[in-house]
Amino acid sequence: MTPTPLSDLKPVRDRLRGIGDVLDPKDAEEPILAPAVRAAVKGWLDEIRARDALAAVGLKPRSSALLSGPPGCGKTTLAHHLAARLGYPLVTVGAEHIVTSSLGGSEGNVAKLFATIESLDQPVILFIDEIDAIGSKRRDSSGDTGGAVTAMNSTLTVLLRRLEAFGGTMIAATNRADTLDPALWRRFGMQIVVDLPDEDARWAILKRYGLPYIFADEALDALAGLTENAAPSLLRQLMEGVKRRLVLGAMQGSLPASLVEAVAAVVAETQPHPDYDQPPLWARQASSSQIISNISAGQAWPPARQEA
Ligand SMILES: Nc1ncnc2c1ncn2[C@@H]1O[C@H](COP(=O)(O)OP(=O)(O)OP(=O)(O)O)[C@@H](O)[C@H]1O
Ligand SMILES: [Mg+2]
């Protein structure tokens, strides 16, 4: 399989209208992942690229992976990145593309999805997001007067059958892994947990989303320490909020007095979901402690900008 020339994406988009969204490999970002996840991903990419060598000994590369983990930790980003590393577009299918209340509609949508993907002239990676919406555990349908349970069970049956026969590469994501049907779970060649970042990963994520501004290592150390339990999406929001204040503050003559002040302003207007453990920075556990003032330690203010 050779990488798809980017100019060829329009026909794929046209064929998939209403069935899924097509993401261009060139728009992918590389997520910052835990070493074990990075190793699993690299192993899978190597395997897919060695398809011919594996076939010579009667083996096939694993064709599917389930990504699970809390929201905002990089499941979608990773799926897009994986597809880009292989040089293929990612076809993202969400519950909104499949689930409908019309009789037999959801089953039909699943069948149509696979039939369309299989009939494309060029390879794509299929990404089923929020797969729990169609892949949750089958339930007893006796007494199911409205037919909703029967419809969900038969949608899952169609999905299982189509997956069994599917010759392409498929990634699915969920943040409700415990609700998935065991038979669906077993269909995946890999189950990868994309979890909340540890301190090293938080440091790297804060640094990345702080760019092009250069934040001092000590400031990043303090922020990484105060953001335990924060998802990468929240870390991104934090650093982008700081950068916004730097740009607008410089234009309007209202620059925050320090990094602590800029961070405090962003914290005041963002809030992690209440179902998750609050990072210390938001829980204000450390508001009077030395750690908060460490955020500004050694930090040139305003920070220098990296050369373009
Ligand atoms: N591991 C990561 N490294 C760097 N950036 C990340 C990472 N995870 C998430 N982000 C950033 O956070 C945002 C949300 O990430 P993404 O959509 O991939 O999360 P998700 O796990 O798919 O969430 P959900 O469960 O809500 O679908 C993206 O803009 C992405 O750039
Ligand atoms: Mg996602």
Side-chain angles (χ1 to χ4, degrees), residues 71-72 74-77 127 129-130 173 175:
K75 298 179 294 297
T76 301
T77 309
F127 177 55
D129 208 356
E130 302 165 70
N175 37 47

Side-chain angles (χ1 to χ4, degrees), residues 28-57:
E29 278 179 43
E30 181 168 4
I32 292 169
L33 300 168
V37 174
R38 224 168 32 232
V41 167
K42 181 179 179 306
W44 194 30
L45 286 170
D46 290 346
E47 210 173 289
I48 295 173
R49 290 182 182 128
R51 186 181 294 274
D52 295 345
L54 289 171
V57 298

Side-chain angles (χ1 to χ4, degrees), residues 108-171:
N109 287 342
V110 171
K112 186 171 169 200
L113 164 68
F114 281 92
T116 310
I117 298 271
E118 282 159 356
S119 71
L120 293 173
D121 299 331
Q122 3 178 281
V124 295
I125 306 288
L126 171 59
F127 177 55
I128 305 186
D129 208 356
E130 302 165 70
I131 194 161
D132 44 281
I134 50 168
S136 61
K137 288 173 195 151
R138 275 168 282 196
R139 286 189 283 149
D140 180 6
S141 59
S142 52
D144 172 31
T145 45
V149 174
T150 309
M152 281 183 72
N153 290 350
S154 63
T155 304
L156 177 57
T157 306
V158 173
L159 176 65
L160 292 173
R161 247 194 250 124
R162 300 305 300 222
L163 276 178
E164 196 77 44
F166 186 50
T169 303
M170 198 275 265
I171 304 171

Side-chain angles (χ1 to χ4, degrees), residues 32-99:
I32 292 169
L33 300 168
V37 174
R38 224 168 32 232
V41 167
K42 181 179 179 306
W44 194 30
L45 286 170
D46 290 346
E47 210 173 289
I48 295 173
R49 290 182 182 128
R51 186 181 294 274
D52 295 345
L54 289 171
V57 298
L59 285 178
K60 279 186 190 165
R62 286 169 293 180
S63 62
S64 59
L66 174 69
L67 309 179
S68 64
C73 289
K75 298 179 294 297
T76 301
T77 309
L78 174 57
H80 193 185
H81 170 69
L82 269 163
R85 289 286 297 272
L86 293 167
Y88 305 135
L90 185 75
V91 176
T92 300
V93 179
E96 75 279 16
H97 294 110
I98 294 184
V99 180

